Structure formats: C-alpha cells, structure tokens
C-alpha cells in the first residue's frame, strides 16, 4: 500500500471533506462556464457585389471586376480572391487568414473601393459571411375562416412583426410573402405613334416623379439636420394624370398645350 493511500485511510474525515470540496468546486465552476447555443463566429470571407446595368461580361471584367480586385489586393492577411464577371454584374469573394479582424478588413475594402475609379452608377455592396444573420425560427402564418391572404399579410406586418422585434434577444424580424398591390401600365402603340412619345420617355417620367433626393440641411440647436425632398405615387389618379409629353405648340389665345399621355 502506498503512502498516499495509507494517509487517506488514516484520515478518513479529511479525505471525505476534501472530496466533497472538490465536488462542490466542480459544480460551481460548471455553472459559471460561458456557453452559447449559437456563438458569434466571424468567418474571414468578404464578398463584393457590383451591378453594372447594361454592360457586357468583358466590360464588367475590365471596368469593374479588375479595379475591385486591385482594391482588395492591398488589404493585409489576404489569402486569395475569386471573381465572377457576368452581364451587368460582378462578384468578388475575398478570403482572409483566420484571426483577421473582419470588421476592419471590411472597412478597409469599402475605403479602397471609394477611390477605385469604378464607372458612374456602379455602387458595390460589401458584406461579410455571418452565420448569425440566418433566421433561427421560421414560422408560416395562414388565414382561417375566410380571411384573405392580403389581410393576413397586413396583420403580420403591423402586429406580429413589431411584437417579435420587441422581444429580448431578437435582433431582427422580417416578413415575406403575402399579397402586395402592384400597378401595371399598358402602353397604347397607336397613341404613342400619333404623339411621337417613346416608351423610354414614359419610363423616365415615371422614375423622375417617384424619387427621394437630398435637399441640403437645416441648422437646429447647433446641429445640422439633413433635409430630403420626397415624392412617391400614392394613388392611381396621380399616375393617370401625369403629363409625359406635349403635342403641338400652345395656341396664341384661348388654347393650351394638349397633354399626350399615351398610357392606360
């Protein structure tokens, strides 16, 4: 029998107390362990999506993809990049070594892209791979007792989504599906030919009258408050009464320009 065993047998009470103390300490340490069901894990992968409407794949490669790759290439700890160029779209995926601060790398990429010399109208979107952005609960809601789908969608967006977002620990809640009102504009070819108005002109007028533009700022209590001018269509009458062109010259007296709205 070893000396340690003999000592434990001779001092049974001390051995029991020591064993109990170790057991209690283990229970206490286990209760204080920092555990998370879904821990925050930052994968060092950043994607850049840059739409270039109307451009071919070669133009996208030369004017968008290559400047983005050069902007990413100067970021430290970059391991490799993978790019895809298609008609009207460029996609670049950058992979960094593990341990890289993803937020700092993303900020550096956005800063470099601002001076990358991309074509006018190209606004790249920089995003990091985040598994926590995926929904953890997906629920489907349907109507009963004759409730229509648009009524269910209105209840979900006005009542259920705000209540879910107010719960502790909920980062975001989104609602998809349901019915959404949509206005379809059908052009009359005969009226377009008679007035000389093109479809592009009508589309341009519609877009120009449904915009939100910055209008400067106002000073209030030593702070600058941005001001925006907003106009959105709120009724079908606004669209039907929209003037998209004129036919002929104004009459000298008693007559006015005739609105040519070749759309129904």
């Amino acid at each position: 029998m070893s000396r340690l065993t003999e000592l434990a047998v001779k001092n049974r009470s001390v051995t029991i107390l020591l064993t109990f103390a170790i057991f209690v300490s283990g229970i206490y340490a286990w209760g204080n362990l920092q555990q998370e069901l879904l821990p925050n894990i930052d994968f060092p992968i950043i994607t850049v999506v840059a739409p270039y409407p109307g451009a071919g794949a070669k133009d996208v490669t030369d004017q968008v993809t290559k400047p983005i790759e050069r902007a990413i290439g100067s970021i430290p700890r970059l391991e490799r990049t993978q790019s895809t160029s298609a008609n009207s779209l460029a996609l670049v995926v950058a992979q960094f070594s593990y341990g890289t601060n993803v937020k700092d790398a993303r900020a550096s990429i956005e800063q470099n892209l601002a001076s990358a010399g991309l074509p006018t109208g190209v606004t790249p979107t920089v995003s990091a791979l985040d598994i926590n952005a995926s929904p953890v609960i997906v629920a489907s809601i349907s109507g009963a007792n004759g409730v229509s789908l648009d009524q269910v969608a209105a209840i979900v967006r006005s009542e259920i989504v705000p209540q879910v977002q107010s719960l502790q620990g909920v980062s975001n809640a989104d609602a998809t599906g349901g019915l959404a009102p949509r206005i379809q504009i059908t052009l009359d070819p005969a009226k377009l030919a008679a007035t000389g108005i093109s479809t592009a002109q009508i589309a341009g007028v519609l877009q120009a009258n449904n915009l939100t533009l910055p209008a400067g700022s106002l000073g209030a209590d030593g702070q600058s408050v941005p001001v925006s001018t907003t106009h959105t269509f709120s009724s079908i009458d606004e669209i039907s009464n929209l003037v998209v062109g004129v036919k002929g010259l104004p009459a000298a007296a008693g007559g006015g320009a005739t609105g040519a709205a070749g759309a129904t």
Side-chain angles (χ1 to χ4, degrees), residues 8 97 99 137 142 157 191-192 204:
S97 58
I137 297 178
S142 60
R157 292 186 174 92
K191 291 183 179 180
L192 292 178

Side-chain angles (χ1 to χ4, degrees), residues 110-200:
E110 292 177 344
Q111 183 177 1
N112 291 350
L113 289 177
S115 58
L118 297 175
T120 303
V122 176
T123 304
T125 301
V126 183
S127 59
L129 180 61
D130 185 8
I131 62 173
N132 295 315
S134 302
V136 295
I137 297 178
V138 178
S140 60
I141 302 174
S142 60
N145 299 326
V147 179
S148 61
L149 188 57
D150 56 343
Q151 292 176 326
V152 173
I155 294 174
V156 169
R157 292 186 174 92
S158 62
E159 299 181 16
I160 297 179
V161 170
Q163 292 181 9
V164 173
Q165 288 180 337
S166 64
L167 296 177
Q168 184 177 2
V170 175
S171 174
N172 190 26
D174 294 322
T176 58
L179 297 178
R182 183 178 64 178
I183 299 175
Q184 183 176 2
I185 299 177
T186 303
L187 303 180
D188 189 335
K191 291 183 179 180
L192 292 178
T195 56
I197 297 176
S198 64
T199 57

